[in-house]
Amino acid sequence: MKQKRLFLIDAYALIFRGYYALIKNPRVNSKGMDTSAILGFMNSLLDVIRREKPDHLAVAFDKGGSTARLDAFPEYKANRGETPEAIKIAVPYIHKILEAMEIPIIEEAGFEADDLIGTLSKQAEKEGYQTYMVTPDKDFAQLVSENIFMYKPSRMGNGIEIWGIPEVQARFEVEHPEQVIDYLGMMGDSVDNIPGLPGVGDKTAKKFLKEYGSLEGLLENTHELKGKMREKVEANADLGRLSKQLATIMLDCPVTFNEKDYELSTPKFDDVQEVFQELEFRRMWETFNRIFRIPEDTANLQSTVSSPQSKPKTQQPKAKEQEGTQLDLFATPIVEENSKTTGFNSLENTDHFYQHINTALSRKLFIEKLLQQKSVCFDTETTSLNTFEAELVGIAFSYEKGKGYYVSIPKNKNEAQQIIEELRPFFEVENIEKIGQNLKYDLKVLNNYDIRVKGVLFDTMIAHYLLQPDMRHNMNVLAETYLQYHPKPISDLIGKKGKNQRTMRSVSVEEQTQYAVEDADVTFQLKQVFEPKLKENNLTELFQNIEMPLLRVLTKMELEGIQLDVDFLQSLTQDLNKDIIYLESAIYKTADKDFNLASPRQLGEVLFDNLKLVEKPKKTKTGQYATGEEILSKLANEHPIVANILEWRGLVKLKNTYVEALPKEVNHKTGRVHTTFSQAVAATGRLSSNNPNLQNIPIRTERGRQVRKAFVPRNSDFTLLAADYSQIELRLIAELSGDETMKQSFMRGEDIHKATAANVFKVALDEVTREQRSHAKTVNFGIIYGVSAFGLSQQTNLSRKESKELIDTYYETYPTLKTYISEQVNLARDQGYVETLLGRRRYLKNINSRNAIVRAADERNAVNAPIQGSAADIIKIAMINIQKLLENGKYRSKMLLQVHDELVFDIHKEELETLKPLIKETMENAYIISIPLIVDVGLG
């Protein structure tokens, strides 16, 4: 008979390994939860099951550490830092998944997983089992026998290593695996803080074992050792014995191997699915299905719009990105990108009629039919994601589920424009609703062909963003989630990213037709799902009156772009280079050596080993000195070299990120910089800017402000105008909370920070010092984000006690505000979401979490989201109204940028005196509240 196999998994070893494997690129879901540890562990677990198909399996956890070892040596593992929060959060989820998979969880208070696995391995061996200890921990090598193996993850991810007796003998140069205990006792273990024998490392420990066989053999023959080695070993003999005791895995824990309990059985699919859905593990769910062959009648992973439970993050959909390949700690990834989605419908198994329209007559007949529709979805296929470079390859249309049409566009520009002209009546007719996914892209591409899309717009990406702001809004994700349909990935047509990727132009027309019309068909169907849901959630007005009109405004702004003074930036680069070289020279002189300033390791050695700036410097998890800005900022006032290093870093970042990078963003066709504004990224409703990010141009430092000088009017007939809402978020918190003291300060036109300082510090308004105003300003803005005494002390020169007293006094001054904050949190707990003044929702899934840190984040969001979101809504209304004003008045001036609470315009000088007060008035009256909104206007 085939020998039965038991796999025992060292949970925490794989959890930590998974977490740190992704430390540079953590997997964070839409709720802001770091799922790296869960992802890494589950990939490891599923890989074992997939590869080995074990008969029996269990997972062992530590529970409270080893009581026996701590009694013997209180410093055991004392050098370990605090467990990362992401791992603390991960463990309960892993428990839930294992329970749903019917996999035994082994844990006993006072015992480590090593001991539990050791005990069970030996018991199973006696029952005739081969046992595989799944762990990267070398300590387990001491347990290896004829029937007990280490199943070890490879460091390079190229497979697994299985250690039997020969492998242990070769690795540790011992005769028997039990001698690994002696090896660890001699050498110690820095990870577990086992001291070992001073002066004995890997080579010496192996040498001693060859000569003396064991630690005891060494201690009995110390007379054969020479010089200081003999002195060290003899003086620390008891330390060596203690170290061996600490390194010995216990084999008598209170656990019993039960053959029946450890059988790998059929999972509870619904329970697993529920946890995966919460974690947003779509690809993991597919992998799970493939491994366990889920029954056909089991529900697919899905969620409903009306539920705030699942909220993945937003992405631009045109690239049709898939979720990233998840890391397999043993071998090649088992979760493959673009993998088939088990259980979902697709082109292969769904009835559909997709027709290629390829003649002048068929186009004529098709367009006649198209113009009879009330609502049509269209989707452009192009040669590039860059809208200024993109050429149309074809346009797909759908106005009935399962049906659609594809009009291919030839490469010849004249022929292409001729076909577009045939389609112009459809695009420019007002009474046909146009549906699309990320319509702004399509509108910008069609602009290249002089087409201005008219009529009501319905963007499914934006609709879903309003319904579930924390979810991803990629069309493929939406199709899988709401239609249980898996669209054909773009990579199937043009290949994956890289130099060998093709363009749509090189794909056969038949493939183009199927792919493009499927997109239009799916998007048309999604509209039918989302439209009633918008109505159910009272979001129709926000969608129709703000987000859809704003889409057109942003399209115009992105097409317009902004002028950049490249010559000025080049001269600034030269100035920065001189300053950087000067600072480097000064730093090297103080350090008395040249070194790589960009190397944290070398910098740490210079500051803390050579110059000894700190008595006990902080170290990172990798053992290097911590040299981050937070650490160095505290030392800058005491040590000139640190101040110079921070200034050097700032100048290098300024040069690399802005001064040298911005000229590369100038479009060769327009000669201007064109950012892309994303409507569906920030869950609060704020717009984001990217490629390049023009909402993040430096302002805090003098050199940073110089970068702003590079943004200039289009020519000498124009000037830039910036209109900025003054303290809009504070005005909104006064409005929403109804705090009369704060409201009256605004009504009287007082400096709110000065007024707050006067109230809090109990001094007259004209006696408020600059420092008091600064502290009050920090609290004013910090209150919105739930600032703590510790946080305030970090941002000011106040002690934690003084910070607490200041916050307490602040709430005494504004008692209604404190009540409002409490009520907002309670409201969120009751209904699971909060709303802006205009009804924009922010779902707060973790508001009732038992984990205090996770819960606190949602409590802060419960207060902040309505304020920040209302400010975002108001400036959006202002943008829509100002764009109408500019178009109706046929002004030459243009709106160029939105930087959160600020709008930037290219104003024709002849229109300045007319538009300056109109812009200010329009912004201040975008939304009327009881406190006046004030707009500051500047020129440049």
Side-chain angles (χ1 to χ4, degrees):
M1 289 179 65
K2 183 182 174 184
Q3 191 169 7
K4 289 184 179 180
R5 297 180 304 155
L6 167 67
F7 283 76
L8 297 173
I9 293 176
D10 182 1
Y12 274 105
L14 299 185
I15 291 169
F16 272 88
R17 188 180 175 94
Y19 174 74
Y20 284 112
L22 295 168
I23 195 74
K24 290 184 179 178
N25 184 26
R27 301 298 192 264
V28 179
N29 68 13
S30 66
K31 298 174 280 292
M33 177 184 172
D34 187 335
T35 59
S36 304
I38 312 172
L39 191 65
F41 174 84
M42 284 306 301
N43 263 321
S44 302
L45 175 65
L46 293 179
D47 188 58
V48 170
I49 296 170
R50 180 182 67 92
R51 284 176 182 274
E52 306 299 337
K53 299 179 177 59
D55 314 292
H56 296 72
L57 183 144
V59 180
F61 288 81
D62 297 339
K63 191 173 184 181
S66 171
T67 304
R69 293 185 182 92
L70 287 168
D71 288 345
F73 185 55
E75 288 76 29
Y76 177 66
K77 293 190 177 180
N79 59 335
R80 293 195 178 183
E82 177 78 10
T83 301
E85 181 62 25
I87 291 179
K88 291 181 183 177
I89 294 169
V91 173
Y93 281 99
I94 291 170
H95 272 255
K96 284 174 72 175
I97 295 169
L98 293 173
E99 288 164 4
M101 291 177 71
E102 303 266 324
I103 292 174
I105 295 170
I106 313 300
E107 56 182 0
E108 286 290 332
F111 294 92
E112 296 183 359
D114 309 38
D115 305 314
L116 302 174
I117 290 173
T119 302
L120 291 168
S121 296
K122 295 299 180 182
Q123 291 178 3
E125 185 178 34
K126 291 177 182 177
E127 297 289 328
Y129 278 79
Q130 277 190 342
T131 301
Y132 293 84
M133 305 175 293
V134 182
T135 179
D137 189 347
K138 66 181 183 300
D139 296 6
F140 282 82
Q142 65 185 269
L143 300 171
V144 169
S145 69
E146 291 291 340
N147 288 301
I148 299 176
F149 305 88
M150 277 185 70
Y151 193 97
K152 193 174 184 296
S154 167
R155 283 187 177 277
M156 301 307 292
N158 294 323
I160 57 163
E161 293 178 49
I162 297 179
W163 285 10
I165 294 174
E167 288 77 16
V168 174
Q169 289 171 327
R171 166 63 179 82
F172 295 97
E173 298 175 21
V174 294
E175 289 185 28
H176 310 290
E178 291 89 343
Q179 288 176 292
V180 172
I181 306 172
D182 298 277
Y183 167 86
L184 295 170
M186 291 180 189
M187 196 181 82
D189 188 340
S190 60
V191 175
D192 290 342
N193 204 33
I194 297 175
L197 292 170
V200 176
D202 174 69
K203 289 183 180 178
T204 308
K206 289 174 178 174
K207 177 187 166 195
F208 286 160
L209 284 171
K210 286 175 185 173
E211 293 180 12
Y212 304 109
S214 66
L215 175 71
E216 289 77 12
L218 169 65
L219 297 179
E220 289 170 5
N221 293 281
T222 54
H223 59 279
E224 296 181 10
L225 304 179
K226 296 178 181 179
K228 288 194 172 181
M229 180 56 74
R230 176 177 178 177
E231 291 176 22
K232 286 181 181 178
V233 172
E234 288 182 344
N236 292 282
D238 288 341
L239 197 61
R241 294 186 186 96
L242 173 63
S243 297
K244 182 174 178 178
Q245 178 187 339
L246 295 172
T248 303
I249 292 176
M250 300 177 191
L251 304 177
D252 57 353
C253 297
V255 289
T256 304
F257 172 63
N258 187 310
E259 184 177 46
K260 190 169 182 62
D261 290 346
Y262 287 29
E263 284 181 1
L264 189 63
S265 54
T266 304
K268 298 175 185 172
F269 290 107
D270 289 345
D271 293 351
V272 175
Q273 182 185 43
E274 185 179 342
V275 185
F276 280 11
Q277 179 175 328
E278 183 177 349
L279 295 169
E280 299 163 14
F281 283 179
R282 281 187 174 78
R283 297 290 170 259
M284 180 75 75
W285 176 243
E286 295 170 23
T287 303
F288 187 87
N289 289 345
R290 288 199 300 273
I291 292 171
F292 289 99
R293 297 176 183 173
I294 186 167
E296 290 181 9
D297 60 347
T298 301
N300 294 315
L301 181 64
Q302 57 184 289
S303 60
T304 58
V305 173
S306 58
S307 165
Q309 266 66 33
S310 56
K311 306 172 280 202
K313 226 171 185 113
T314 59
Q315 280 189 0
Q316 291 291 349
K318 286 293 168 178
K320 293 187 182 290
E321 298 148 322
Q322 299 288 326
E323 291 182 48
T325 302
Q326 300 176 37
L327 183 70
D328 175 2
L329 300 175
F330 293 96
T332 53
I334 59 173
V335 180
E336 299 171 358
E337 189 172 342
N338 296 340
S339 57
K340 288 280 185 185
T341 310
T342 306
F344 288 161
N345 292 323
S346 65
L347 277 174
E348 286 74 24
N349 60 12
T350 304
D351 289 338
H352 61 277
F353 176 76
Y354 297 164
Q355 185 177 356
H356 177 215
I357 308 295
N358 60 348
T359 66
L361 177 60
S362 62
R363 279 197 304 273
K364 181 176 181 293
L365 296 172
F366 166 66
I367 292 167
E368 287 176 2
K369 185 73 173 175
L370 197 63
L371 290 170
Q372 296 171 18
Q373 307 307 314
K374 292 182 178 179
S375 183
V376 176
C377 179
F378 78 94
D379 182 53
T380 60
E381 294 304 326
T382 66
T383 56
S384 172
L385 292 176
N386 183 326
T387 53
F388 288 92
E389 297 175 0
E391 296 177 7
L392 280 169
V393 177
I395 308 175
F397 301 86
S398 178
Y399 44 83
E400 186 178 347
K401 179 181 176 181
K403 293 183 180 180
Y405 308 88
Y406 183 67
V407 177
S408 53
I409 309 292
K411 187 174 183 180
N412 180 280
K413 289 185 179 179
N414 291 332
E415 293 176 14
Q417 191 64 47
Q418 183 179 338
I419 292 175
I420 296 299
E421 292 303 322
E422 294 174 22
L423 291 166
R424 183 183 292 276
F426 162 74
F427 286 118
E428 296 192 350
V429 71
E430 293 276 4
N431 64 355
I432 299 178
E433 178 186 50
K434 279 80 175 180
I435 305 165
Q437 167 81 9
N438 190 19
L439 270 170
K440 182 150 60 67
Y441 174 89
D442 301 293
L443 266 56
K444 288 168 69 177
V445 169
L446 287 168
N447 185 77
N448 296 338
Y449 295 82
D450 196 35
I451 294 288
R452 310 290 181 266
V453 179
K454 296 178 182 178
V456 173
L457 301 180
F458 192 105
D459 191 321
T460 50
M461 180 179 78
I462 307 299
H464 186 255
Y465 166 69
L466 291 183
L467 292 164
Q468 292 288 355
D470 289 292
M471 278 185 73
R472 288 176 60 198
H473 314 296
N474 175 292
M475 190 203 75
N476 289 13
V477 171
L478 299 182
E480 291 174 5
T481 305
Y482 298 103
L483 305 177
Q484 291 75 61
Y485 185 92
H486 182 59
K488 191 177 187 66
I490 184 70
S491 57
D492 283 6
L493 275 69
I494 63 174
K496 296 185 179 180
K497 290 180 181 179
K499 63 181 181 180
N500 295 323
Q501 189 180 54
R502 301 185 295 162
T503 70
M504 282 296 283
R505 187 80 73 190
S506 62
V507 176
S508 71
V509 175
E510 290 75 18
E511 288 180 296
Q512 287 180 34
T513 300
Q514 292 298 301
Y515 171 80
V517 180
E518 180 189 49
D519 276 6
D521 179 16
V522 165
T523 303
F524 178 79
Q525 293 181 52
L526 287 170
K527 190 256 186 179
Q528 316 312 312
V529 175
F530 295 156
E531 189 172 43
K533 293 296 181 185
L534 288 170
K535 188 174 182 179
E536 285 172 26
N537 290 275
N538 299 316
L539 292 166
T540 301
E541 191 173 340
L542 182 64
F543 177 74
Q544 291 180 347
N545 297 344
I546 296 181
E547 294 296 350
M548 286 300 94
L550 181 72
L551 187 151
R552 294 187 186 276
V553 176
L554 295 177
T555 301
K556 291 182 172 68
M557 290 167 64
E558 290 176 18
L559 289 169
E560 189 65 30
I562 189 167
Q563 197 76 20
L564 194 71
D565 189 339
V566 175
D567 292 339
F568 172 74
L569 288 177
Q570 288 174 346
S571 68
L572 187 55
T573 300
Q574 294 170 7
D575 293 342
L576 288 173
N577 282 335
K578 290 176 186 175
D579 291 349
I580 288 167
I581 291 169
Y582 172 79
L583 285 168
E584 287 174 350
S585 177
I587 291 165
Y588 297 151
K589 187 175 180 181
T590 308
D592 198 27
K593 65 179 291 188
D594 288 5
F595 62 98
N596 183 359
L597 261 170
S599 165
R601 181 182 62 79
Q602 293 186 35
L603 177 61
E605 289 170 358
V606 167
L607 296 182
F608 304 122
D609 285 341
N610 301 356
L611 299 178
K612 300 190 183 301
L613 299 188
V614 177
E615 190 175 331
K616 291 184 177 179
K618 187 177 180 180
K619 290 191 175 183
T620 66
K621 290 182 176 67
T622 59
Q624 293 183 11
Y625 290 117
T627 57
E629 187 171 348
E630 184 182 345
I631 299 291
L632 297 189
S633 295
K634 295 175 183 177
L635 304 173
N637 293 331
E638 303 172 37
H639 306 286
I641 188 174
V642 178
N644 284 339
I645 289 165
L646 288 172
E647 186 178 356
W648 176 87
R649 282 182 177 177
L651 294 184
V652 169
K653 181 180 179 181
L654 193 68
K655 175 188 161 191
N656 295 339
T657 308
Y658 301 104
V659 180
E660 291 185 341
L662 280 170
K664 297 173 185 174
E665 297 291 342
V666 175
N667 186 282
H668 66 91
K669 287 185 178 179
T670 67
R672 293 162 75 81
V673 175
H674 302 265
T675 187
T676 299
F677 289 104
S678 299
Q679 274 177 276
V681 171
T684 57
R686 274 190 165 193
L687 297 177
S688 67
S689 163
N690 53 74
N691 299 323
N693 181 355
L694 297 185
Q695 293 181 329
N696 199 30
I697 305 302
I699 195 171
R700 295 183 183 277
T701 65
E702 185 180 345
R703 299 309 289 271
R705 285 191 290 274
Q706 285 185 289
V707 177
R708 296 194 164 211
K709 292 183 181 179
F711 293 90
V712 294
R714 64 176 59 242
N715 57 47
S716 58
D717 292 332
F718 287 77
T719 184
L720 293 183
L721 181 147
D724 187 6
Y725 278 111
S726 174
Q727 300 166 342
I728 187 170
E729 290 186 355
L730 288 177
R731 292 173 188 271
L732 285 170
I733 198 169
E735 172 77 11
L736 291 167
S737 69
D739 191 279
E740 283 302 321
T741 306
M742 190 176 281
K743 287 174 72 171
Q744 287 305 313
S745 290
F746 282 120
M747 298 295 280
R748 289 192 294 266
E750 293 174 350
D751 176 339
I752 187 63
H753 303 311
K754 204 170 181 180
T756 298
N759 287 324
V760 170
F761 294 107
K762 304 292 189 288
V763 296
L765 198 63
D766 57 0
E767 293 177 6
V768 171
T769 66
R770 181 179 293 181
E771 186 179 45
Q772 287 173 330
R773 183 187 182 278
S774 176
H775 292 336
K777 181 177 180 180
T778 305
V779 180
N780 267 332
F781 286 116
I783 287 298
I784 302 171
Y785 298 96
V787 71
S788 63
F790 174 74
L792 184 58
S793 68
Q794 293 292 101
Q795 298 174 52
T796 64
N797 59 6
L798 297 171
S799 68
R800 204 178 298 187
K801 182 182 178 184
E802 290 169 331
S803 297
K804 184 181 184 306
E805 290 172 354
L806 180 56
I807 291 172
D808 290 343
T809 309
Y810 182 92
Y811 280 131
E812 288 170 12
T813 305
Y814 302 122
T816 313
L817 181 57
K818 188 171 186 179
T819 303
Y820 167 75
I821 290 171
S822 176
E823 288 174 350
Q824 277 296 108
V825 172
N826 288 333
L827 178 67
R829 286 205 177 102
D830 290 341
Q831 64 183 21
Y833 64 88
V834 289
E835 291 181 313
T836 66
L837 287 168
L838 285 98
R840 183 184 303 278
R841 291 186 179 184
R842 179 77 192 272
Y843 292 103
L844 303 167
K845 179 175 177 54
N846 297 309
I847 194 72
N848 293 308
S849 170
R850 285 178 290 180
N851 184 297
I853 294 173
V854 174
R855 183 177 67 249
D858 266 6
E859 288 173 352
R860 289 192 294 272
N861 285 332
V863 179
N864 175 47
I867 297 162
Q868 198 176 94
S870 294
D873 291 340
I874 289 169
I875 200 167
K876 287 178 179 180
I877 296 171
M879 292 168 72
I880 295 163
N881 293 342
I882 289 171
Q883 187 62 38
K884 283 181 188 173
L885 186 153
L886 294 176
E887 290 175 6
N888 293 340
K890 294 184 169 42
Y891 291 102
R892 288 168 287 186
S893 301
K894 304 289 183 183
M895 184 159 48
L896 306 182
L897 298 176
Q898 190 251 50
V899 186
H900 302 312
D901 300 332
E902 178 181 11
L903 297 177
V904 179
F905 300 84
D906 225 346
I907 301 287
H908 195 280
K909 289 177 180 177
E910 293 179 4
E911 299 168 353
L912 178 60
E913 294 307 313
T914 303
L915 286 179
K916 184 177 175 181
L918 281 177
I919 288 170
K920 178 178 169 67
E921 181 186 353
T922 304
M923 289 178 70
E924 289 179 346
N925 291 284
Y927 189 85
I928 304 301
I929 59 176
S930 62
I931 301 166
L933 296 178
I934 303 297
V935 172
D936 298 324
V937 179
L939 301 172

